[in-house]
Amino acid sequence: MMDRQAGTIFRIREFTRREKTCIRQDVKRFEKIGRDHHCQSLDDYANFVRERMKRTVDGEFTLKSVMLIRGFIAYFGDRLMRETKLARVATTLELAPGWLLRDAATFQTVFVGDVIVDCLLTDDLWAPTLDEIMDELIDWNYGYLDTEDVPTPYVWDPNTGLQNYLAA
């Protein structure tokens, strides 16, 4: 158990039928986007999403932008699941369906939603690309890399804890 917000307990739960349907539809939509817009890499998908993200006058993302980001989270998670031993986990924190992946044997955890949002909102020219992050996550899951060598702070390993993720 971990507290992320005051009064909120972090627990694993079952996916609802609606969440499963949303994830499946989001993945299918992004597969179609890839075909229609000739996206060859994850960075092509990220650029596609970045170009279409819009904000309201209050500075918040529009509903369509949020849905597009949610779909990209589901798609990235699906691609990562196909290449690793990670599986989707539903939690009491409902940020986006499928935002969290975990390996049941090693308890390695990836906060996919944070990886995607960080990638979409970062303007750092030297930041690792999503394709590089994906490759490193695959190597990390198979034991070829330590958690400290993964180019994103949004991973958790029971051996190292959540220091990077929870740092203020």
Side-chain angles (χ1 to χ4, degrees), residues 5-144:
Q5 298 172 348
T8 303
I9 303 298
F10 186 79
R11 289 198 176 101
I12 294 174
R13 63 173 177 79
E14 300 259 340
F15 276 107
T16 64
R17 178 184 281 171
R18 185 177 187 287
E19 288 172 326
K20 290 178 186 177
T21 301
C22 285
I23 291 169
R24 190 171 47 252
Q25 288 174 344
D26 286 342
V27 170
K28 293 289 184 194
R29 183 168 19 122
F30 264 81
E31 288 172 348
K32 184 175 181 346
I33 286 170
R35 287 190 306 271
D36 293 349
H37 296 275
H38 308 290
C39 296
Q40 301 296 317
S41 67
L42 289 169
D43 295 314
D44 292 340
Y45 284 98
N47 289 332
F48 175 86
V49 173
R50 250 187 235 108
E51 290 169 2
R52 286 155 182 80
M53 287 177 17
K54 306 247 186 298
R55 294 183 185 258
T56 64
V57 289
D58 299 330
E60 297 178 11
F61 288 113
T62 63
L63 181 59
K64 282 188 174 185
S65 296
V66 170
M67 300 301 281
L68 197 58
I69 294 167
R70 185 192 79 183
F72 191 34
I73 290 169
Y75 180 73
F76 183 86
D78 190 68
R79 293 266 307 260
L80 190 57
M81 284 176 19
R82 292 179 191 187
E83 300 290 333
T84 64
K85 300 175 278 182
L86 298 168
R88 279 195 183 94
V89 177
T91 66
T92 51
L93 294 173
E94 298 177 24
L95 302 177
W99 73 278
L100 182 69
L101 298 180
R102 186 180 81 169
D103 187 329
T106 64
F107 298 108
Q108 289 178 324
T109 305
V110 179
F111 299 88
V112 177
D114 295 320
V115 171
I116 296 300
V117 170
D118 192 42
C119 171
L120 292 174
L121 300 180
T122 300
D123 288 335
D124 184 6
L125 294 174
W126 303 109
T129 64
L130 267 181
D131 293 301
E132 291 170 349
I133 292 172
M134 173 74 85
D135 291 341
E136 301 293 329
L137 289 172
I138 292 167
D139 290 345
W140 171 68
N141 184 244
Y142 283 107
Y144 301 127

